mmCIF file of all heavy atoms in Angstrom:
data_model
loop_
_atom_site.group_PDB
_atom_site.id
_atom_site.type_symbol
_atom_site.label_atom_id
_atom_site.label_comp_id
_atom_site.label_asym_id
_atom_site.label_seq_id
_atom_site.Cartn_x
_atom_site.Cartn_y
_atom_site.Cartn_z
ATOM 1 N N ILE A 8 7.542 13.555 -9.125
ATOM 2 C CA ILE A 8 8.401 12.417 -9.498
ATOM 3 C C ILE A 8 9.723 12.934 -10.070
ATOM 4 O O ILE A 8 10.801 12.463 -9.693
ATOM 5 C CB ILE A 8 7.690 11.483 -10.500
ATOM 6 C CG1 ILE A 8 6.550 10.735 -9.809
ATOM 7 C CG2 ILE A 8 8.663 10.505 -11.153
ATOM 8 C CD1 ILE A 8 6.975 9.773 -8.726
ATOM 9 N N ASN A 9 9.638 13.882 -10.986
ATOM 10 C CA ASN A 9 10.876 14.442 -11.572
ATOM 11 C C ASN A 9 11.717 15.146 -10.508
ATOM 12 O O ASN A 9 12.937 15.079 -10.544
ATOM 13 C CB ASN A 9 10.542 15.393 -12.721
ATOM 14 C CG ASN A 9 10.049 14.643 -13.943
ATOM 15 O OD1 ASN A 9 10.368 13.481 -14.147
ATOM 16 N ND2 ASN A 9 9.247 15.315 -14.751
ATOM 17 N N GLY A 10 11.051 15.816 -9.576
ATOM 18 C CA GLY A 10 11.779 16.468 -8.487
ATOM 19 C C GLY A 10 12.515 15.475 -7.615
ATOM 20 O O GLY A 10 13.648 15.723 -7.194
ATOM 21 N N LEU A 11 11.874 14.338 -7.345
ATOM 22 C CA LEU A 11 12.542 13.299 -6.554
ATOM 23 C C LEU A 11 13.677 12.656 -7.353
ATOM 24 O O LEU A 11 14.733 12.344 -6.804
ATOM 25 C CB LEU A 11 11.536 12.239 -6.106
ATOM 26 C CG LEU A 11 10.554 12.680 -5.021
ATOM 27 C CD1 LEU A 11 9.519 11.584 -4.757
ATOM 28 C CD2 LEU A 11 11.268 13.041 -3.734
ATOM 29 N N LYS A 12 13.429 12.466 -8.638
ATOM 30 C CA LYS A 12 14.448 11.838 -9.492
ATOM 31 C C LYS A 12 15.716 12.699 -9.544
ATOM 32 O O LYS A 12 16.835 12.180 -9.496
ATOM 33 C CB LYS A 12 13.880 11.637 -10.895
ATOM 34 C CG LYS A 12 14.729 10.770 -11.782
ATOM 35 C CD LYS A 12 14.069 10.577 -13.126
ATOM 36 C CE LYS A 12 13.652 9.160 -13.270
ATOM 37 N NZ LYS A 12 13.072 8.854 -14.563
ATOM 38 N N THR A 13 15.535 14.018 -9.620
ATOM 39 C CA THR A 13 16.685 14.926 -9.693
ATOM 40 C C THR A 13 17.120 15.413 -8.317
ATOM 41 O O THR A 13 18.042 16.213 -8.206
ATOM 42 C CB THR A 13 16.344 16.147 -10.575
ATOM 43 O OG1 THR A 13 15.228 16.836 -10.006
ATOM 44 C CG2 THR A 13 16.045 15.724 -11.999
ATOM 45 N N GLN A 14 16.437 14.929 -7.276
ATOM 46 C CA GLN A 14 16.703 15.305 -5.887
ATOM 47 C C GLN A 14 16.664 16.827 -5.699
ATOM 48 O O GLN A 14 17.485 17.412 -5.008
ATOM 49 C CB GLN A 14 18.032 14.710 -5.426
ATOM 50 C CG GLN A 14 18.022 13.196 -5.466
ATOM 51 C CD GLN A 14 19.319 12.569 -5.018
ATOM 52 O OE1 GLN A 14 20.236 13.225 -4.557
ATOM 53 N NE2 GLN A 14 19.390 11.253 -5.137
ATOM 54 N N ASN A 15 15.647 17.434 -6.301
ATOM 55 C CA ASN A 15 15.434 18.877 -6.230
ATOM 56 C C ASN A 15 14.939 19.237 -4.829
ATOM 57 O O ASN A 15 13.846 18.853 -4.427
ATOM 58 C CB ASN A 15 14.404 19.273 -7.302
ATOM 59 C CG ASN A 15 14.139 20.754 -7.343
ATOM 60 O OD1 ASN A 15 14.020 21.415 -6.320
ATOM 61 N ND2 ASN A 15 14.032 21.271 -8.564
ATOM 62 N N ILE A 53 12.416 8.214 0.708
ATOM 63 C CA ILE A 53 13.642 7.549 0.247
ATOM 64 C C ILE A 53 13.299 6.350 -0.635
ATOM 65 O O ILE A 53 13.932 6.128 -1.668
ATOM 66 C CB ILE A 53 14.514 7.128 1.452
ATOM 67 C CG1 ILE A 53 15.078 8.379 2.132
ATOM 68 C CG2 ILE A 53 15.636 6.189 1.027
ATOM 69 C CD1 ILE A 53 15.744 8.116 3.458
ATOM 70 N N GLN A 54 12.283 5.605 -0.236
ATOM 71 C CA GLN A 54 11.847 4.436 -1.015
ATOM 72 C C GLN A 54 11.403 4.871 -2.415
ATOM 73 O O GLN A 54 11.809 4.270 -3.419
ATOM 74 C CB GLN A 54 10.692 3.775 -0.271
ATOM 75 C CG GLN A 54 9.967 2.693 -1.014
ATOM 76 C CD GLN A 54 8.769 2.193 -0.209
ATOM 77 O OE1 GLN A 54 8.871 1.989 0.987
ATOM 78 N NE2 GLN A 54 7.661 1.995 -0.862
ATOM 79 N N ILE A 55 10.602 5.917 -2.501
ATOM 80 C CA ILE A 55 10.124 6.393 -3.802
ATOM 81 C C ILE A 55 11.288 6.959 -4.616
ATOM 82 O O ILE A 55 11.392 6.704 -5.821
ATOM 83 C CB ILE A 55 8.992 7.426 -3.623
ATOM 84 C CG1 ILE A 55 7.759 6.744 -3.013
ATOM 85 C CG2 ILE A 55 8.629 8.070 -4.959
ATOM 86 C CD1 ILE A 55 6.661 7.694 -2.572
ATOM 87 N N MET A 56 12.182 7.700 -3.962
ATOM 88 C CA MET A 56 13.357 8.240 -4.660
ATOM 89 C C MET A 56 14.195 7.114 -5.267
ATOM 90 O O MET A 56 14.635 7.214 -6.414
ATOM 91 C CB MET A 56 14.224 9.070 -3.714
ATOM 92 C CG MET A 56 13.660 10.425 -3.410
ATOM 93 S SD MET A 56 14.653 11.344 -2.207
ATOM 94 C CE MET A 56 15.957 11.965 -3.248
ATOM 95 N N ALA A 57 14.385 6.050 -4.502
ATOM 96 C CA ALA A 57 15.173 4.919 -4.995
ATOM 97 C C ALA A 57 14.478 4.267 -6.193
ATOM 98 O O ALA A 57 15.132 3.919 -7.180
ATOM 99 C CB ALA A 57 15.384 3.899 -3.884
ATOM 100 N N ARG A 58 13.175 4.126 -6.101
ATOM 101 C CA ARG A 58 12.431 3.500 -7.208
ATOM 102 C C ARG A 58 12.475 4.327 -8.478
ATOM 103 O O ARG A 58 12.641 3.784 -9.567
ATOM 104 C CB ARG A 58 10.981 3.261 -6.812
ATOM 105 C CG ARG A 58 10.828 2.072 -5.888
ATOM 106 C CD ARG A 58 9.408 1.749 -5.597
ATOM 107 N NE ARG A 58 8.694 1.319 -6.783
ATOM 108 C CZ ARG A 58 7.381 1.256 -6.870
ATOM 109 N NH1 ARG A 58 6.634 1.591 -5.850
ATOM 110 N NH2 ARG A 58 6.805 0.853 -7.971
ATOM 111 N N VAL A 59 12.311 5.643 -8.375
ATOM 112 C CA VAL A 59 12.298 6.464 -9.587
ATOM 113 C C VAL A 59 13.681 6.547 -10.227
ATOM 114 O O VAL A 59 13.784 6.859 -11.413
ATOM 115 C CB VAL A 59 11.710 7.881 -9.348
ATOM 116 C CG1 VAL A 59 10.274 7.792 -8.869
ATOM 117 C CG2 VAL A 59 12.554 8.709 -8.421
ATOM 118 N N GLN A 60 14.725 6.260 -9.453
ATOM 119 C CA GLN A 60 16.072 6.255 -10.016
ATOM 120 C C GLN A 60 16.317 5.042 -10.911
ATOM 121 O O GLN A 60 17.052 5.133 -11.883
ATOM 122 C CB GLN A 60 17.131 6.268 -8.902
ATOM 123 C CG GLN A 60 17.128 7.508 -8.039
ATOM 124 C CD GLN A 60 17.447 8.775 -8.794
ATOM 125 O OE1 GLN A 60 18.254 8.779 -9.713
ATOM 126 N NE2 GLN A 60 16.792 9.848 -8.414
ATOM 127 N N VAL A 61 15.685 3.908 -10.584
ATOM 128 C CA VAL A 61 15.988 2.667 -11.302
ATOM 129 C C VAL A 61 14.880 2.174 -12.217
ATOM 130 O O VAL A 61 15.102 1.285 -13.027
ATOM 131 C CB VAL A 61 16.362 1.527 -10.321
ATOM 132 C CG1 VAL A 61 17.634 1.855 -9.571
ATOM 133 C CG2 VAL A 61 15.235 1.214 -9.363
ATOM 134 N N GLN A 62 13.676 2.727 -12.089
ATOM 135 C CA GLN A 62 12.596 2.263 -12.956
ATOM 136 C C GLN A 62 11.601 3.389 -13.209
ATOM 137 O O GLN A 62 11.549 4.365 -12.479
ATOM 138 C CB GLN A 62 11.878 1.053 -12.349
ATOM 139 C CG GLN A 62 11.054 1.355 -11.109
ATOM 140 C CD GLN A 62 10.524 0.103 -10.445
ATOM 141 O OE1 GLN A 62 11.242 -0.509 -9.684
ATOM 142 N NE2 GLN A 62 9.294 -0.257 -10.720
ATOM 143 N N ASN A 63 10.844 3.224 -14.266
ATOM 144 C CA ASN A 63 9.815 4.198 -14.605
ATOM 145 C C ASN A 63 8.598 3.914 -13.734
ATOM 146 O O ASN A 63 7.926 2.911 -13.923
ATOM 147 C CB ASN A 63 9.470 4.088 -16.091
ATOM 148 C CG ASN A 63 8.486 5.148 -16.523
ATOM 149 O OD1 ASN A 63 8.379 6.197 -15.883
ATOM 150 N ND2 ASN A 63 7.764 4.880 -17.585
ATOM 151 N N VAL A 64 8.333 4.782 -12.786
ATOM 152 C CA VAL A 64 7.219 4.599 -11.864
ATOM 153 C C VAL A 64 5.995 5.279 -12.456
ATOM 154 O O VAL A 64 6.028 6.467 -12.782
ATOM 155 C CB VAL A 64 7.540 5.187 -10.475
ATOM 156 C CG1 VAL A 64 6.349 5.091 -9.557
ATOM 157 C CG2 VAL A 64 8.746 4.483 -9.872
#
Side-chain angles (χ1 to χ4, degrees):
I8 290 295
N9 288 334
L11 288 174
K12 191 178 248 183
T13 60
Q14 298 180 6
N15 182 318
I53 291 170
Q54 171 185 317
I55 294 170
M56 284 176 80
R58 284 185 65 196
V59 299
Q60 296 297 324
V61 296
Q62 69 188 83
N63 184 23
V64 176

